[in-house]
Amino acid sequence: MKNKITALAFISLLALSACGTKDYKPQDYILEMNYKDDFRILQLTDIHLSDKDDQKTQFKFMDLLYKDANNPDLVVVTGDLFTFASKNTAKSLLKYFDDKGVPWSVCFGNHDEQCYFSVDWLTKTLSEYGSNCLFKDLQDDKVNGNCNFAINLMKDGKVHDQLFIMDSNRYDFNFSQFGYDCFKQDQIEWYESVVNYTKEQNGGETVNSLMFYHIPLPEVNAAWDEAKQNNKVIYGEKREASCSPDHDYGFFNKIKELGSTKAMFFGHDHINNFEVDYQEVKFCYGIKSTDRIYHDNDMLGCQTITIHNDHSLTIDRYYHTYAEVK
Ligand SMILES: [Fe+2]
């Protein structure tokens, strides 16, 4: 991620992650929707809408992406929806998603706290949104982050696939050097409890899951290096260093141990769009979905993730330029 974004981070207001005192059960964090064959998810990422932007143009650009996805079953936005946005701007984007009439969900990115509202306000607004919005956060729970929940895709009374929407948090000022934050230990424990609960609910069978969040795990760099070295990059390019945290609490090891999550989708680094498999887990960048903040003109668009009946995935990418909407 480029220096100017890092500089912006320093002047942001540090919002503390929501972390309360109440204990909840795994099932309290689970939403449900029906699975249908070839379930198609439209992933948008890093929209960065601000008060200064021409919303009409940005919405016209995203209209192209919805058209590409051709009536998706679900839209997931993997963070950085806003930068320096007011509540009115935020409401306008949320209304844009909702008016599409397609179920939609979001997780937060590091820039979503650099706004004229708090992440807690955004969390509450989304939690109460209703309509086509699928979002859940228990703000008084003990789990760090503002968007940790799961969406179960149900088929014949069983969980066919599970989607984890998680908060990779924002900035870490605890060390002498500024850095991006990581998933906390209590989030890893939360993830394990939901995977195990779902397994139990599904007759002891581990359920396949996909995970959506904003900041890539630290392993993304090793994943790219190994794939590049062995000529096994499945798709895309790495045009900038992956800005993941330089430390974490071992989330990837837990993911491997539990064997549920087969693929992870994220954003954050605007000019990376690669997909690689690493230790049987897919690391996959989304495609930046507007031209706000730094970007490359030939790397703007979206991707769709189709979950087939046998749990295999097809990922399709779509690219556009702003010449199409001006
Ligand atoms: Fe971003």
Side-chain angles (χ1 to χ4, degrees):
M1 183 163 285
K2 288 184 176 171
N3 288 339
K4 61 183 172 183
I5 298 300
T6 307
L8 275 175
F10 278 113
I11 59 169
S12 75
L13 293 172
L14 177 61
L16 295 173
S17 292
C19 206
T21 55
K22 276 182 83 174
D23 278 317
Y24 287 93
K25 292 176 180 156
Q27 53 268 44
D28 296 329
Y29 295 89
I30 295 174
L31 302 169
E32 286 186 357
M33 65 184 294
N34 288 331
Y35 172 83
K36 71 175 191 53
D37 286 353
D38 299 332
F39 188 95
R40 194 163 59 259
I41 299 167
L42 166 63
Q43 183 192 0
L44 304 175
T45 197
D46 293 84
I47 292 166
H48 286 277
L49 196 67
S50 80
D51 284 1
K52 289 185 177 169
D53 293 330
D54 172 7
Q55 289 186 7
K56 211 173 154 192
T57 301
Q58 298 308 330
F59 292 169
K60 266 168 83 180
F61 190 79
M62 285 191 284
D63 284 347
L64 296 173
L65 313 181
Y66 271 85
K67 208 172 163 196
D68 290 332
N70 191 19
N71 296 318
D73 299 294
L74 176 68
V75 176
V76 180
V77 189
T78 45
D80 281 2
L81 287 81
F82 306 108
T83 308
F84 299 127
S86 61
K87 288 181 181 177
N88 279 344
T89 297
K91 284 176 187 169
S92 176
L93 182 61
L94 305 188
K95 185 177 183 311
Y96 171 81
F97 293 138
D98 205 59
D99 284 350
K100 291 290 181 190
V102 176
W104 56 283
S105 190
V106 309
C107 60
F108 301 136
N110 47 298
H111 286 283
D112 289 313
E113 73 173 23
Q114 289 171 300
C115 290
Y116 307 115
F117 51 78
S118 67
V119 176
D120 280 347
W121 174 82
L122 187 58
T123 303
K124 191 166 181 293
T125 301
L126 285 160
S127 298
E128 294 170 353
Y129 207 90
S131 191
N132 298 306
C133 178
L134 288 167
F135 184 92
K136 187 154 197 175
D137 184 76
L138 301 170
Q139 287 183 279
D140 57 351
D141 69 359
K142 290 179 179 171
V143 185
N144 269 281
N146 287 71
C147 51
N148 301 300
F149 59 101
I151 302 171
N152 286 355
L153 304 183
M154 304 300 293
K155 185 181 178 187
D156 302 330
K158 290 186 102 182
V159 187
H160 189 271
D161 286 278
Q162 188 165 47
L163 310 178
F164 280 96
I165 313 288
M166 290 189 68
D167 195 347
S168 53
N169 298 304
R170 279 151 281 286
Y171 301 104
D172 184 354
F173 294 93
N174 289 325
F175 296 86
S176 55
Q177 211 178 347
F178 160 81
Y180 291 104
D181 212 346
C182 63
F183 291 101
K184 306 295 184 182
Q185 184 64 42
D186 55 48
Q187 290 180 282
I188 298 172
E189 286 162 14
W190 171 85
Y191 167 76
E192 182 168 21
S193 73
V194 176
V195 167
N196 286 337
Y197 168 78
T198 309
K199 182 179 176 180
E200 225 173 88
Q201 191 194 15
N202 241 35
E205 220 175 285
T206 300
V207 171
N208 272 277
S209 65
L210 310 183
M211 192 182 287
F212 295 84
Y213 55 88
H214 184 67
I215 302 173
L217 297 185
E219 286 80 3
V220 73
N221 287 301
W224 167 262
D225 290 346
E226 188 184 280
K228 187 76 181 160
Q229 206 172 5
N230 298 320
N231 215 12
K232 285 191 171 171
V233 174
I234 297 168
Y235 178 84
E237 293 176 67
K238 182 183 185 183
R239 295 184 185 173
E240 64 174 321
S242 293
C243 286
S244 49
D246 55 11
H247 65 282
D248 74 353
Y249 296 89
F251 195 17
F252 189 60
N253 286 338
K254 182 57 74 180
I255 287 166
K256 283 191 297 175
E257 178 195 317
L258 296 176
S260 166
T261 298
K262 308 297 184 197
M264 302 185 291
F265 300 90
F266 40 81
H268 188 52
D269 302 314
H270 298 179
I271 53 174
N272 289 338
N273 65 348
F274 65 79
E275 173 193 348
V276 297
D277 286 344
Y278 183 62
Q279 301 184 13
E280 298 182 20
V281 179
K282 186 176 296 302
F283 282 72
C284 190
Y285 274 96
I287 296 163
K288 179 160 168 49
S289 305
T290 69
D291 68 349
R292 301 298 78 199
I293 319 275
Y294 82 94
H295 63 279
D296 278 351
N297 286 329
D298 63 344
M299 207 184 270
L300 297 176
C302 66
Q303 68 188 6
T304 57
I305 302 138
T306 304
I307 307 173
H308 301 292
N309 200 34
D310 64 356
H311 307 287
S312 62
L313 303 176
T314 300
I315 303 171
D316 294 300
R317 282 90 179 175
Y318 303 90
Y319 295 94
H320 292 278
T321 68
Y322 275 71
E324 297 171 65
V325 292
K326 277 174 182 164

